[in-house]
Amino acid sequence: MRSPRLTIIVPCYNEEAVLPKSAHVLAEILMGLIQHKQVNSESKLLFVDDGSQDATWALVKELETQLPVVTGIKFSRNFGHQNALMAGMKTACPTSDMMITIDADLQDDPQVIPEMVARFHAGSDVVLGVRNDRSSDSHFKRWTAERFYGLMNRIGVQLVPDHADFRLLSQRAVRALLSYQETNLFLRGIVPQLGFPTTKLYYRRRPRFAGVSKYPLRKMLSFAFDGITSFSIAPIKVILMLGVLISGGSLLMMVYAVIQGLLGTAISGWSSLMTSLWFLGGMQLIGISVVGEYVGKIFAEVKHRPRYIIETDDYTVTQQPALLDSQRVHV
């Protein structure tokens, strides 16, 4: 019986500073797995160039000549990290029995990849890489992460705390994932919904050895907001409750004003009037903005535009049937 075929998918956006080292580290791990017959000899290390403006793609082409396991695909422009992951999985899925996604900066520990493969052999379709601590993060980043995961759980989104996009998925799990057609992707929320046998693998996150983060605070906040609005209408419900509370407060103030008028103690005040108007006007603008965000997402979904456009595709492997669950080698 043949060994399962693995594809390690690495999204890249302006990663020329880290790519040479990352490629050699990941290639060494992959070739070790091949040598020990844990994966098929045609397993690949697939780099997805997400419209980089530097020499990332040139480095991928150079690495293809140096390392036989390296291959790549190139987007025509920048389509975003989540779309790069989906493109890599869609490209590899027909010929791969399992796929691992990991960022190019290798802050997610690549040395746990062999253990991920072992858990696939043991029957897991989904292996989630989960950070075992956040001591390397700033206090602000730890606090915001805790608030985000807590909020998502309260509104019913099944997120795994401290899990990002470092994971292994079997071919059938990827096929199920690819059936999700929404334009606004939030894979951290979708993957736990797949329902296949899942295990968590804990690791210690390492500092970035070169380059700069592609997720500054602004992008992180935008990513979090997309996650909330892609999976829940809780913000609209919050606005509804605020509207009810404000309306109730207005009625109480109206009763109070009538009583003060009957008693002859009413004091007319420009400041209180303007403050009320500004408050209500602000709440209306917030409400309109949140509803507009959902309308905008609907607008993007109904157009059915492609998630990405591939300019160059170097991924070529021999087509072989996927392993059945009963054919997995249990270790």
Side-chain angles (χ1 to χ4, degrees):
M1 182 186 68
R2 72 176 182 88
S3 301
R5 181 179 290 160
L6 166 66
T7 299
I8 301 175
I9 299 163
V10 187
C12 305
Y13 179 67
N14 294 339
E15 297 287 7
E16 64 178 357
V18 302
L19 199 59
K21 180 177 178 180
S22 299
H24 282 86
V25 169
L26 291 170
E28 182 179 356
I29 292 171
L30 181 56
M31 288 188 286
L33 289 168
I34 293 173
Q35 182 179 359
H36 290 90
K37 301 188 185 303
Q38 295 298 298
V39 300
N40 191 276
S41 60
E42 291 195 18
S43 296
K44 293 292 183 181
L45 175 56
L46 172 61
F47 291 99
V48 183
D49 182 5
D50 184 21
S52 298
Q53 302 300 311
D54 60 4
T56 294
W57 183 245
L59 285 171
V60 172
K61 298 295 290 183
E62 181 181 343
L63 289 165
E64 287 179 351
T65 64
Q66 299 173 1
L67 301 168
V69 296
V70 171
T71 186
I73 59 177
K74 182 180 185 297
F75 283 176
S76 60
R77 62 172 177 82
N78 178 247
F79 285 92
H81 181 268
Q82 302 289 279
N83 285 320
L85 292 175
M86 290 295 282
M89 288 185 284
K90 186 174 182 179
T91 299
C93 185
T95 58
S96 298
D97 299 294
M98 54 180 157
M99 285 141 272
I100 292 175
T101 57
I102 185 171
D103 289 341
D105 57 22
L106 297 190
Q107 288 187 272
D108 299 316
D109 187 2
Q111 300 304 324
V112 303
I113 288 177
E115 177 61 23
M116 285 184 162
V117 173
R119 295 195 182 190
F120 168 84
H121 285 300
S124 294
D125 285 275
V126 181
V127 183
L128 304 176
V130 181
R131 297 175 62 173
N132 59 11
D133 74 273
R134 303 188 70 97
S135 58
S136 61
D137 292 344
S138 66
H139 176 75
F140 174 76
K141 191 169 184 179
R142 289 197 301 270
W143 183 84
T144 53
E146 290 171 359
R147 301 290 82 74
F148 172 67
Y149 287 118
L151 174 62
M152 294 296 277
N153 286 328
R154 279 195 294 273
I155 65 178
V157 183
Q158 301 175 13
L159 285 187
V160 177
D162 298 325
H163 165 67
D165 291 301
F166 182 33
R167 63 178 72 92
L168 177 147
L169 297 174
S170 69
Q171 187 185 62
R172 68 172 180 172
V174 171
R175 289 188 185 279
L177 180 60
L178 293 175
S179 68
Y180 285 73
Q181 297 298 314
E182 57 254 48
T183 300
N184 301 286
L185 286 170
F186 189 67
L187 296 179
R188 301 180 198 186
I190 296 175
V191 170
Q193 295 182 356
L194 299 180
F196 294 110
T198 301
T199 59
K200 298 176 184 177
L201 181 60
Y202 292 90
Y203 68 95
R204 184 179 182 85
R205 190 170 171 86
R206 304 185 298 183
R208 188 182 180 97
F209 64 85
V212 296
S213 172
K214 305 306 183 295
Y215 267 88
L217 179 60
R218 178 181 59 83
K219 280 194 174 182
M220 289 178 64
L221 291 174
S222 176
F223 186 66
F225 189 66
D226 280 343
I228 293 170
T229 55
S230 294
F231 280 85
S232 174
I233 60 170
I236 292 180
K237 292 182 178 179
V238 170
I239 291 172
L240 172 62
M241 293 305 298
L242 283 174
V244 171
L245 290 174
I246 291 171
S247 298
S250 299
L251 291 174
L252 292 175
M253 289 302 297
M254 185 184 300
V255 172
Y256 175 77
V258 170
I259 294 173
Q260 292 296 312
L262 293 174
L263 295 175
T265 58
I267 300 174
S268 59
W270 181 85
S271 297
S272 60
L273 176 62
M274 293 305 296
T275 301
S276 299
L277 289 175
W278 289 342
F279 177 72
L280 291 174
M283 290 303 303
Q284 288 172 341
L285 288 175
I286 292 172
I288 292 171
S289 298
V290 172
V291 173
E293 177 70 19
Y294 283 95
V295 172
K297 288 184 180 295
I298 294 171
F299 177 66
E301 295 289 348
V302 299
K303 287 187 291 188
H304 297 296
R305 290 182 177 178
R307 290 173 175 163
Y308 52 84
I309 298 172
I310 295 177
E311 179 180 318
T312 308
D313 185 354
D314 292 343
Y315 185 88
T316 54
V317 292
T318 304
Q319 180 79 35
Q320 290 184 6
L323 292 175
L324 301 174
D325 285 342
S326 59
Q327 295 175 314
R328 291 188 184 181
V329 179
H330 296 271
V331 294

